Amino acid sequence: MAVNTDKNSYTILFAVVMVLVVGSLLAFTASALKPNIKENERIEKQQNILYAMGINGNEGTGDITFVDAKKAEAKFASNVSEQIVLEVKDGKIINEMTGEEFANSEDTDKGIEPYLIDVKKQQTRVKEGKSRYLPLFISDNNGQKVYVAPIRGKGLWDAIWGYVAIDKKMVVQGAFFDHKGETPGLGANIKQRYFMDDFTGERLLSDEGIFRGITVAKGNNDPKNEDKDDNEVDALAGATITGDGVSAMIKKDLKLYLPYFKNL
């Protein structure tokens, strides 16, 4: 008996079957690839932290070049001399843990390597009235310690984030920024090397030790970024809101580390 394919019921049944089949295939594929995705995310975070520390393959003034993915884990282990986690509440450090203590904790909110701490989840903890865990990655480069902190904020369309390397006086030694969905050629340029390089040498504190952060300034009168004491870098053309997001996340997230650096 021939099936009448012109009936609405056939069309609906066919669509339902296809949705179930395709959905099942996608779910299976996602499940099968989940370990690879997690591993890639882990390596990417290590590459980003190393990049902010100045450990990368950059040459001349070209595009950014990360440490090779196959070498990232070894480079991370050899260059990150120490990982610590600060527990902060109401702007005060209430606990300081080594990376090993944090990773080996049986607390459900801990128990991971510090570099895997999700900054977005930590921001949610604050909204829930809980303390927040702040990771800090330390590199000892020829006797000079460099501290890398993760930051996260909001751009024009979606999340933006980064890693900022600073010395004990909170002078920027390097930075890396990324985004989820900023406009190509405009806000997406926060990931361009010429923008990130401008932050190197900028001071987060005033001469009096007051935290001022760094402003991505549209009216900046220092387009070559030669003045490192003005707490400003030149804005990206056509990306005012994204630039404001970068300024805000630097001021909001890095200020949380101020008590730690004052103790240094």
Side-chain angles (χ1 to χ4, degrees):
M1 181 179 176
V3 177
N4 184 0
T5 58
D6 293 329
K7 294 172 64 176
N8 288 338
S9 58
Y10 175 85
T11 303
I12 294 172
L13 179 62
F14 180 81
V16 169
V17 171
M18 288 301 296
V19 167
L20 290 174
V21 171
V22 173
S24 298
L25 287 173
L26 289 175
F28 174 78
T29 302
S31 178
L33 294 177
K34 190 174 182 179
N36 290 338
I37 293 172
K38 289 292 184 182
E39 177 65 9
N40 289 339
E41 290 176 349
R42 187 178 69 83
I43 294 299
E44 183 180 18
K45 285 191 173 185
Q46 291 180 340
Q47 289 175 310
N48 293 170
I49 294 168
L50 289 169
Y51 186 92
M53 286 180 172
I55 302 166
N56 50 58
N58 286 352
E59 294 182 359
T61 57
D63 296 333
I64 64 174
T65 305
F66 295 109
V67 168
D68 187 273
K70 295 179 180 178
K71 300 178 180 178
E73 189 161 18
K75 285 281 188 180
F76 189 83
S78 62
N79 287 281
V80 178
S81 57
E82 188 179 357
Q83 297 184 60
I84 63 173
V85 180
L86 308 174
E87 185 175 3
V88 174
K89 190 169 185 179
D90 299 328
K92 297 180 180 179
I93 298 174
I94 60 176
N95 191 18
E96 181 178 329
M97 295 160 277
T98 66
E100 187 176 356
E101 288 172 338
F102 189 84
N104 292 332
S105 173
E106 295 181 359
D107 189 323
T108 54
D109 291 321
K110 303 175 187 177
I112 57 174
E113 291 292 324
Y115 68 88
L116 296 177
I117 290 175
D118 189 326
V119 178
K120 182 179 180 180
K121 289 183 179 178
Q122 298 307 310
Q123 292 172 342
T124 301
R125 283 175 59 88
V126 175
K127 295 176 182 178
E128 296 172 347
K130 300 177 182 178
S131 59
R132 174 177 177 171
Y133 298 117
L134 302 175
L136 198 58
F137 315 99
I138 305 172
S139 172
D140 194 344
N141 186 10
N142 295 324
Q144 180 183 1
K145 286 190 174 182
V146 174
Y147 306 79
V148 179
I151 56 177
R152 184 182 178 89
K154 181 73 169 63
L156 173 61
W157 302 113
D158 214 316
I160 56 176
W161 60 88
Y163 293 90
V164 180
I166 53 183
D167 65 14
K168 64 181 181 180
K169 295 182 179 179
M170 298 195 87
V171 176
V172 177
Q173 304 299 306
F176 173 79
F177 302 116
D178 207 343
H179 64 92
K180 187 174 182 181
E182 299 306 288
T183 308
L186 299 175
N189 285 347
I190 64 171
K191 195 178 178 179
Q192 293 296 319
R193 184 176 164 188
Y194 67 84
F195 178 72
M196 294 188 286
D197 284 354
D198 273 356
F199 287 81
T200 302
E202 289 288 336
R203 300 168 59 191
L204 293 170
L205 304 179
S206 68
D207 289 336
E208 295 75 27
I210 298 172
F211 187 91
R212 295 181 61 186
I214 300 172
T215 300
V216 180
K218 190 175 181 180
N220 184 28
N221 293 319
D222 181 30
K224 292 185 178 180
N225 202 43
E226 294 173 344
D227 184 358
K228 297 297 183 179
D229 296 325
D230 60 356
N231 299 96
E232 291 184 351
V233 298
D234 203 30
L236 294 165
T240 302
I241 295 178
T242 307
D244 289 345
V246 173
S247 302
M249 71 177 177
I250 287 175
K251 292 176 181 177
K252 174 175 59 70
D253 285 357
L254 292 184
K255 188 176 182 179
L256 296 171
Y257 291 89
L258 182 58
Y260 174 84
F261 284 92
K262 281 192 172 182
N263 285 336
L264 291 179

